[in-house]
């Protein structure tokens, strides 16, 4: 690791340590808070390490035409802004990042917003945004000579970790809550050869246990408490800024679970701003499921100063998290950009997911909270019609096909959850039909489903 260029700064007490001094659980020995990576050279006006904005923008675009694997990664293409490795040749990459930014025409029209986009992180190699963070932190694990890596997960982190570990030739250990993760994700961890342990605990319990395990065995922790994960996960901010020709959108809407992603995107935009690559930061809003909303409660009760863990319940299993590790970092991103933190119901999530599906994109339930949240922000008048908004879709629709099928079959939601929005749901349902194998029967089915 390149400890000359970066150091770790405690988010709580400001203590600074070198990367090599980090504890196995990545907590500060002084105050127990998390670290973030900082690059001291950037702070010096005439410092040799301070990047040159114009040259960088040109270089990053040029790399898109390169056939080098590092350049083809949407993370390492921006490597000047994450100099965390001794040698970039050590990077473990699956050509992650460079994900599409799709215009959402129908949703924009329905909401009366001029410019609405989806940054589809589900289009990453293992189908979620976790790949961008995993390439960074797995590369550090490899440079540090670890044989084993591990994570607690609601599914996507484990899928990404298992794949990148396999590519790096490392062994991986996954702790997941028994029965509470989507099959698509579980199947990936198995396929990529992880030792997968299903525990009678929720995500928060799995992470607590793993924190104890890594203190006793030489296993590298790859949850987003690991600050190198966030260095990779900040790069979609660079892609978005680049796609807007370095004019950043007005508003970014992100799902909130363990709150690493919103923290990382906040860091990405902050660094672009501080380095003079963009003139401002977008507002960053974080949306949680109503049954797993500790950060929403924190903002309601203490303006984001304290967080009381909750017992989490939501069918959006990816964000079924009651005690988010990175909540302070996420609260900072919301506060410094003037964003909001709000929650959405199970029915609102299901409707938003079906609406995104009907635009030909699709995503997993946890990603759909972004559209559901934006609808609320628009209804409250917090988002104006002339604003440009980007929804961060975090996972691929095939991750959780059961959820989608249950929705279209009409078996997903309970009656009380659907109260008041039954018609909206019925209009979106497209259940598969049982039809006789005859021309007449198929044509009759067509007639019956005319819009
Ligand atoms: N969306 C998806 C699809 C996720 O998998 C996650 C988190 C989130 C949103 C929330 O992101 O935790 O950074 O706030 N999944 C983790 C996992 C917890 O284990 O896969 P966050």
């Amino acid at each position: 690791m390149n400890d000359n260029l970066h150091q770790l700064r405690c988010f709580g007490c400001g203590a600074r340590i070198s990367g090599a001094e980090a504890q196995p659980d990545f907590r500060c020995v002084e105050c127990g808070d998390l670290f973030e990576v900082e690059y001291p050279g950037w702070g010096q006006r005439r410092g040799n390490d301070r990047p040159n904005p114009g040259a960088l923008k040109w270089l990053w675009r040029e790399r898109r035409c390169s056939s080098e694997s590092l350049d083809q990664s949407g993370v390492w293409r921006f490597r000047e802004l994450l100099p965390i490795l001794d040698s970039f040749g050590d990077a473990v990459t699956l050509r992650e990042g460079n994900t599409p930014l799709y215009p959402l025409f129908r949703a924009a029209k329905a909401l009366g917003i001029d410019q609405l986009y989806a940054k589809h992180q589900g289009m990453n190699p293992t189908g979620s945004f976790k790949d961008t963070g995993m390439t960074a932190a797995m590369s550090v694990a490899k440079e540090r000579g670890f044989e084993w890596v591990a994570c607690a997960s609601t599914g996507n982190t484990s899928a990404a970790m298992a794949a990148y570990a396999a590519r790096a030739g490392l062994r991986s250990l996954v702790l997941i809550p028994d029965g509470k993760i989507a099959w698509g994700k579980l199947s990936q961890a198995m396929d990529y050869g992880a030792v997968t342990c299903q525990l009678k605990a929720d995500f928060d319990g799995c992470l607590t246990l793993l924190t104890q395990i890594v203190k006793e065995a030489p296993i590298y922790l790859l949850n987003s408490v690991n600050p190198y994960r966030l260095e990779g996960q900040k790069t979609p901010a660079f892609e978005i800024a680049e796609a807007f020709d370095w004019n950043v959108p007005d508003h970014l809407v992100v799902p909130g679970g363990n709150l690493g992603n919103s923290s990382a995107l906040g860091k990405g935009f902050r660094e672009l701003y501080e380095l003079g690559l963009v003139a401002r930061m977008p507002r960053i809003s974080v949306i949680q499921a109503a049954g797993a909303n500790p950060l929403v409660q924190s903002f309601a009760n203490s303006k984001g100063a304290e967080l009381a863990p909750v017992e989490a319940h939501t069918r959006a299993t990816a964000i079924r998290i009651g005690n988010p590790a990175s909540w302070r970092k996420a609260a900072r991103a919301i506060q410094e950009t003037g964003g909001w933190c709000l929650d959405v119901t199970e029915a609102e999530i299901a409707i938003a997911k079906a609406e995104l599906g009907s635009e030909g994109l699709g995503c997993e339930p946890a990603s759909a909270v972004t559209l559901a949240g934006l609808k609320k922000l628009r209804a409250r008048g917090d988002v104006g019609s002339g604003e440009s908004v980007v929804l961060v879709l975090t996972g691929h629709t095939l991750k959780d096909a059961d959820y989608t099928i249950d929705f279209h079959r009409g078996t997903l939601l309970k009656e009380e959850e659907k109260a008041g929005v039954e018609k909206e749901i019925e209009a979106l349902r497209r259940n598969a039909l049982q039809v006789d194998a005859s021309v007449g029967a198929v044509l009759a089915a067509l007639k019956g489903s005319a819009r």
Side-chain angles (χ1 to χ4, degrees):
M1 276 201 325
N2 200 334
D3 282 338
N4 293 328
L5 293 184
H6 85 274
Q7 62 194 17
L8 302 181
R9 180 180 177 279
C10 174
F11 199 80
C13 68
R16 289 187 165 90
I17 59 170
S18 73
E21 289 170 309
Q23 297 295 305
D25 64 355
F26 294 103
R27 294 270 171 192
C28 175
V29 285
E30 303 296 331
C31 74
D33 212 330
L34 298 176
F35 286 93
E36 61 178 6
V37 177
E38 69 174 11
Y39 306 98
W42 295 1
Q44 303 158 11
R45 281 209 164 269
R46 286 175 209 282
N48 289 338
D49 296 334
R50 191 171 167 86
N52 171 333
L56 285 179
K57 289 176 188 175
W58 177 85
L59 180 65
W60 294 337
R61 203 171 277 273
E62 282 297 296
R63 283 185 183 146
R64 300 194 79 159
C65 305
S66 160
S67 55
E68 291 293 321
S69 65
L70 214 58
D71 294 341
Q72 288 186 356
S73 159
V75 172
W76 299 109
R77 183 161 75 87
F78 299 102
R79 51 191 175 270
E80 288 73 17
L81 295 198
L82 54 149
I84 53 175
L85 300 179
D86 269 343
S87 163
F88 285 117
D90 291 332
V92 184
T93 174
L94 281 165
R95 318 289 192 277
E96 53 289 319
N98 291 327
T99 52
L101 185 72
Y102 297 116
L104 287 169
F105 297 115
R106 283 193 221 167
K109 197 167 169 212
L111 285 166
I113 294 177
D114 288 348
Q115 292 185 63
L116 179 59
Y117 300 90
K119 176 69 174 163
H120 208 324
Q121 294 294 93
M123 299 300 181
N124 270 297
T126 77
S128 88
F129 72 99
K130 305 287 182 180
D131 294 343
T132 56
M134 211 45 85
T135 184
M138 191 67 74
S139 304
V140 173
K142 192 178 154 199
E143 266 197 352
R144 293 193 154 237
F146 279 89
E147 278 172 35
W148 280 89
V149 293
C151 71
S153 181
T154 57
N156 280 326
T157 304
S158 51
M161 183 189 73
Y164 282 83
R167 297 299 294 177
L170 307 186
R171 300 295 314 279
S172 63
L173 166 69
V174 163
L175 302 189
I176 49 172
D178 192 13
K180 298 286 184 212
I181 82 164
W183 290 121
K185 305 174 187 180
L186 179 59
S187 72
Q188 286 179 292
M190 294 172 170
D191 207 23
Y192 305 138
V195 175
T196 305
C197 301
Q198 299 179 273
L199 306 185
K200 297 240 168 299
D202 58 10
F203 168 84
D204 305 294
C206 291
L207 186 53
T208 306
L209 189 72
L210 186 56
T211 303
Q212 291 160 11
I213 292 170
V214 295
K215 286 181 190 159
E216 294 190 16
I219 303 175
Y220 193 65
L221 181 61
L222 280 174
N223 278 96
S224 55
V225 292
N226 180 324
Y228 300 109
R229 277 269 312 276
L230 304 199
E231 290 309 287
Q233 282 177 212
K234 74 186 182 186
T235 58
F238 308 161
E239 291 182 3
I240 292 169
E242 185 184 54
F244 278 77
D245 212 9
W246 305 102
N247 283 318
V248 308
D250 295 309
H251 203 146
L252 192 77
V253 187
V254 191
N258 210 23
L259 297 172
N261 201 31
S262 35
S263 305
L265 293 168
K267 187 173 193 282
F269 280 111
R270 187 181 312 123
E271 289 178 352
L272 289 184
Y273 176 63
E274 286 173 357
L275 290 170
L277 280 106
V278 298
R280 62 186 172 103
M281 290 177 72
R283 275 187 207 281
I284 297 180
S285 290
V286 174
I287 318 295
Q288 298 196 296
N293 66 352
L295 191 67
V296 177
Q297 294 192 26
S298 159
F299 270 87
N301 299 333
S302 66
K303 296 199 171 83
E306 307 285 333
L307 183 131
V310 304
E311 198 181 311
H313 296 285
T314 170
R315 291 184 189 83
T317 50
I319 50 172
R320 192 172 176 275
I321 295 173
N323 190 13
S326 295
W327 70 272
R328 278 189 206 279
K329 294 181 184 177
R332 172 179 173 191
I334 295 168
Q335 284 159 346
E336 77 182 329
T337 62
W340 289 275
C341 182
L342 61 146
D343 58 10
V344 291
T345 66
E346 294 293 300
E348 287 166 338
I349 298 171
I351 290 169
K353 180 174 141 45
E355 286 171 342
L356 287 163
S358 73
E359 291 220 34
L361 294 186
C363 60
E364 62 170 286
S367 310
V369 301
T370 54
L371 178 59
L374 177 64
K375 288 189 203 174
K376 283 197 165 163
L377 289 171
R378 182 78 183 107
R380 284 184 351 193
D382 290 332
V383 173
S385 61
E387 289 187 32
S388 50
V389 182
V390 174
L391 307 179
V392 180
L393 302 186
T394 44
H396 198 281
T397 187
L398 292 178
K399 287 277 190 174
D400 193 353
D402 284 346
Y403 181 102
T404 311
I405 290 174
D406 288 346
F407 175 82
H408 290 286
R409 285 188 177 152
T411 54
L412 182 75
L413 298 166
K414 296 189 198 123
E415 289 308 317
E416 58 270 27
E417 290 173 316
K418 290 192 279 195
V421 286
E422 294 93 339
K423 283 204 180 118
E424 230 177 307
I425 290 174
E426 283 315 304
L428 285 162
R429 277 184 52 213
R430 295 279 179 272
N431 195 11
L433 309 170
Q434 296 289 329
V435 176
D436 283 345
S438 74
V439 172
V442 174
L443 290 180
L446 269 190
K447 260 192 194 159
S449 66
R451 284 185 220 170

